[in-house]
């Protein structure tokens, strides 16, 4: 151990020493959830003292060593096991037996991004990456209905699922809302979502919105001969109302596969996410991440990364979560954040920021696990008959200031087309209206698939030509 480290270890008080083991034999032995934090001490503690205080407060401890701890309770201590002084990073191992049995994700987050974000002893504390061992993955639901199931239903393969969000964000009556859905669907779009605040507003009663969407969908399917999907926001004041909305949709006569449940995962909470995953395993669970910026924005020194949020959404069983446009759209983001997060939840094995996460529930040295990963990388399979061996994929949902002109620039950054994109302004502000906006999006996607420049393709596609004219510098 280097002299600097020896001095740091010597500076620890007896309580702090119980939360540090820089010689932890094998952090990846399956006992621990591993986390990497960016940490800048705030008070007069040095980085190892501050890290020990973080490990204590986020596992078994508090600010002063208590007389009531036991030999067993000490085995549940989180342990600081690695430091990178230059990059201000600390690695912490959490015995996953700490966590509530029964696959509770909310409980984990309460530990590892709970009180510690409020501690005086830190100036900066951001959870940058997490690693789940196979023995822990076994305990959690993971996704059930995936984007591959949606692709099968829509008969849409090898291209992004093309979606919109009805705009204006709020204020349409249920009939007007359904009209916008109809226009997008007959324009060739696949997928329409409620906006994140859509609920039961008096000018757009939930029951009527559902009924009108059903009529609009029936009409559009009949006229286009293509299946369509609508993602209904079921976030509500209480679980009973949330379930009531789910049941209203389920019993409204929609074909299975033609509807998804959208949940505002951060403002409605992880219990709502997991309740929906467990009650409706055959419905696409759409995690909208409104309010995530308070934790994830790159300039925020305190919180967690987009990758961490997205990994926990997959662990909890979301079928898809918004992962950002890597700066191509209107929201803050970069490829290093958003694309790493997207790949981190799509594939069976992905590098992450600090941990290579394999989502197999068997040791990734096992021949079958290796075959699964290779099969997934080659064919992006759904793990139809292997879901006991590994956790199914979670779909990146890419949205925020996108328009048909930005589709290819985003795909180029994403390096694959296995995502859902939802464009609101980018469709409903098209000079020709929503149907033309949808047609322009379909045309931009077709141009990409044919390897054609959109300007070339637009020469004989009016709606795309208008879109290029209108959106190019927006
Ligand atoms: C996009 C959107 C989405 C954001 C969420 C909005 O509308 O409906 O909620 O994309 O951001 O309300 O802004 P536009 P993220 O297409 O009109 O921008 O996907 O980054 O979580
Ligand atoms: Mg929105």
């Amino acid at each position: 151990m280097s002299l600097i480290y020896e001095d740091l270890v010597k500076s620890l008080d007896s309580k702090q020493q119980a939360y540090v083991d820089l010689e932890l034999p094998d952090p990846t032995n399956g006992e621990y959830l591993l986390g990497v934090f960016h940490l800048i001490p705030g008070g007069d503690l040095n980085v190892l003292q501050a890290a020990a205080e973080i490990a204590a407060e986020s596992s078994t401890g508090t600010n002063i060593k208590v007389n009531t701890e036991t030999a067993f309770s000490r085995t549940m201590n989180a342990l600081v096991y690695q430091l990178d002084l230059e990059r201000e990073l600390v690695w912490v191992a959490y015995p996953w037996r700490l966590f509530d049995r029964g696959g509770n994700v909310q409980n984990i987050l309460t530990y590892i991004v709970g009180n510690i974000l409020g501690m005086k002893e830190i100036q900066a504390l951001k959870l940058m990456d997490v690693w789940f061992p196979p023995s822990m993955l076994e305990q959690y639901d993971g996704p059930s209905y995936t984007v591959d199931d949606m692709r099968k239903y829509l008969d849409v393969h090898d291209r992004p699922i093309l979606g919109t969000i009805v705009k204006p964000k709020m204020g349409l009556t249920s009939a007007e809302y359904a009209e916008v859905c109809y226009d997008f669907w007959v324009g060739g779009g696949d997928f329409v979502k409620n906006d994140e605040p859509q609920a039961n507003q008096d000018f757009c009663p939930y029951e009527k919105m559902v009924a009108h969407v059903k009529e609009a969908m029936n009409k559009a399917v009949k006229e286009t001969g293509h299946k369509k999907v609508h993602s209904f926001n079921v976030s509500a004041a209480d679980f009973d109302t949330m379930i009531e909305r789910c049941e209203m949709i389920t019993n409204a006569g929609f074909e299975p596969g033609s509807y998804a449940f959208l949940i505002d995962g951060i403002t409605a909470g992880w219990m709502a996410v997991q309740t929906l995953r467990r009650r409706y395993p055959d419905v696409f669970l759409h995690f909208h991440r409104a309010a995530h910026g308070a934790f994830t924005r790159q300039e925020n020194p305190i919180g967690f990364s987009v990758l961490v949020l997205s990994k926990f959404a997959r662990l909890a069983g979301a079928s898809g979560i918004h992962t950002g446009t890597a700066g191509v759209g209107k929201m803050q983001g970069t490829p290093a954040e958003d694309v790493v997060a997207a790949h981190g939840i799509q594939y069976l094995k992905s590098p992450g920021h600090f941990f290579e996460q394999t989502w197999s529930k068997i040791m990734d040295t096992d021949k079958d696990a290796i075959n699964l990963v290779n099969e997934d990388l080659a064919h992006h399979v759904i793990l139809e008959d292997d879901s006991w061996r590994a956790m199914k994929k979670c779909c990146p949902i890419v949205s925020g200031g996108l328009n048909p002109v930005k589709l290819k620039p985003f795909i180029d950054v994403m390096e694959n087309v296995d995502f859902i994109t939802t464009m609101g302004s980018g469709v409903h502000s098209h000079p020709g209206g929503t149907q033309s906006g949808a047609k322009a999006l379909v045309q931009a996607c077709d141009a990409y698939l044919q390897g054609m420049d959109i300007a070339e393709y637009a020469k004989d596609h009016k709606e795309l030509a208008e879109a290029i004219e209108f959106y190019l510098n927006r």
Side-chain angles (χ1 to χ4, degrees):
M1 189 184 294
S2 73
L3 270 178
I4 297 176
Y5 280 24
E6 279 179 15
D7 288 347
L8 285 171
V9 170
K10 279 187 198 130
S11 74
L12 300 175
D13 66 26
S14 64
K15 185 203 83 174
Q16 291 163 349
Q17 283 167 26
Y19 293 95
V20 173
D21 183 350
L22 297 180
E23 292 171 337
L24 185 65
D26 180 5
T28 60
N29 71 355
E31 277 178 74
Y32 307 104
L33 173 156
L34 304 180
V36 179
F37 292 89
H38 174 250
L39 165 61
I40 301 176
D44 47 15
L45 298 180
N46 68 40
V47 64
L48 190 57
Q49 291 167 336
E53 292 300 335
I54 296 300
E57 184 63 43
S58 61
S59 63
T60 58
T62 178
N63 59 332
I64 304 170
K65 182 180 168 68
V66 294
N67 309 320
T68 42
E69 67 179 39
T70 66
F72 175 74
S73 74
R74 279 192 289 274
T75 68
M76 291 292 109
N77 290 4
L79 296 168
V80 178
Y81 68 93
Q82 190 176 324
L83 292 174
D84 180 326
L85 298 176
E86 219 161 275
R87 291 190 292 170
E88 301 169 322
L89 297 171
V90 297
W91 280 250
V92 181
Y94 291 88
W96 56 259
R97 287 179 63 201
L98 273 170
F99 306 139
D100 181 22
R101 292 301 87 216
N104 176 347
V105 169
Q106 158 279 324
N107 181 261
I108 305 175
L109 295 167
T110 300
Y111 277 106
I112 69 176
V113 284
N115 284 358
I116 54 175
L117 300 188
M119 287 174 72
K120 274 195 292 194
E121 305 305 349
I122 54 123
Q123 187 187 321
L125 182 66
K126 196 162 201 177
L127 181 56
M128 301 308 290
D129 199 355
V130 285
W131 180 77
F132 310 119
S135 48
M136 183 185 161
L137 284 178
E138 178 64 42
Q139 314 283 329
Y140 294 83
D141 299 333
S144 170
Y145 189 95
T146 73
V147 66
D148 290 335
D149 296 308
M150 187 184 286
R151 287 184 179 286
K152 268 191 199 147
Y153 176 75
L154 287 168
D155 193 19
V156 166
H157 306 280
D158 306 321
R159 68 167 171 83
I161 289 174
L162 302 178
T164 190
I165 313 104
V166 172
K167 301 286 179 180
K169 184 171 284 225
M170 197 45 61
L172 296 183
T173 64
S174 43
E176 290 162 348
Y177 178 91
E179 198 58 32
V180 175
C181 296
Y182 169 78
D183 283 340
F184 181 74
W185 280 325
V186 292
D190 307 307
F191 176 96
V192 178
K193 68 179 274 290
N194 278 156
D195 221 335
E196 70 280 359
Q198 182 85 33
N200 184 33
Q201 283 79 5
D202 62 14
F203 47 78
C204 187
Y206 204 88
E207 200 152 6
K208 271 194 159 182
M209 183 267 293
V210 171
H212 289 341
V213 165
K214 177 82 189 55
E215 288 177 61
M217 183 186 280
N218 285 352
K219 196 168 162 52
V221 167
K222 210 159 143 216
E223 286 177 14
T224 63
H226 293 294
K227 302 277 190 184
K228 305 294 179 183
V229 173
H230 187 281
S231 183
F232 290 96
N233 188 350
V234 295
S235 313
D238 59 78
F239 279 176
D240 294 341
T241 309
M242 178 178 82
I243 299 302
E244 201 182 293
R245 290 177 181 172
C246 294
E247 289 305 305
M248 201 189 287
I249 296 154
T250 310
N251 301 321
F254 286 95
E255 239 183 9
S258 67
Y259 60 90
F261 292 150
L262 183 150
I263 188 73
D264 296 323
I266 292 179
T267 51
W270 291 86
M271 279 174 75
V273 174
Q274 292 201 264
T275 299
L276 292 171
R277 164 64 181 81
R278 293 178 175 185
R279 294 236 187 155
Y280 302 98
D282 301 327
V283 179
F284 188 92
L285 179 50
H286 180 159
F287 188 126
H288 192 289
R289 60 180 187 166
H292 75 95
F295 300 98
T296 63
R297 282 186 73 113
Q298 296 212 292
E299 64 270 35
N300 289 357
I302 297 176
F304 45 79
S305 66
V306 171
L307 174 64
V308 164
L309 171 61
S310 308
K311 278 176 147 177
F312 276 108
R314 181 171 184 176
L315 196 73
S319 307
I321 182 171
H322 289 240
T323 48
T325 63
V328 173
K330 73 184 181 187
M331 302 291 193
Q332 188 242 39
T334 63
E337 255 304 87
D338 298 352
V339 174
V340 168
H343 292 174
I345 57 173
Q346 279 179 306
Y347 299 121
L348 260 178
K349 182 176 220 168
S350 43
H353 294 318
F354 295 95
F355 297 115
E356 181 164 73
Q357 179 70 54
T358 304
W359 294 86
S360 63
K361 300 176 198 169
I362 51 182
M363 284 310 288
D364 61 0
T365 47
D366 180 300
K367 147 173 93 46
D368 290 315
I370 293 166
N371 291 343
L372 263 181
V373 170
N374 294 336
E375 181 72 7
D376 178 58
L377 286 175
H379 308 296
H380 230 150
V381 294
I382 184 174
L383 300 173
E384 268 160 334
D385 52 354
D386 293 305
S387 59
W388 89 91
R389 278 187 177 133
M391 204 164 260
K392 290 182 180 180
K393 67 182 169 186
C394 179
C395 174
I397 300 170
V398 180
S399 174
L402 292 179
N403 61 57
V405 174
K406 293 185 172 183
L407 181 66
K408 180 178 184 305
F410 178 75
I411 294 174
D412 290 346
V413 169
M414 177 70 160
E415 296 173 347
N416 73 52
V417 291
D418 193 22
F419 57 88
I420 297 171
T421 181
T422 57
M423 300 184 186
S425 63
V427 161
H428 308 301
S429 63
H430 187 289
T434 295
Q435 282 200 31
S436 299
K439 285 177 183 167
L441 177 53
V442 171
Q443 291 162 8
C445 185
D446 196 35
Y448 175 80
L449 297 174
Q450 293 190 37
M452 280 179 78
D453 178 88
I454 53 169
E456 188 55 34
Y457 190 96
K459 282 180 181 159
D460 46 6
H461 291 87
K462 180 170 78 69
E463 295 83 3
L464 185 54
E466 289 168 344
I468 294 170
E469 171 78 22
F470 185 74
Y471 290 116
L472 203 48
N473 301 315
R474 288 176 184 254

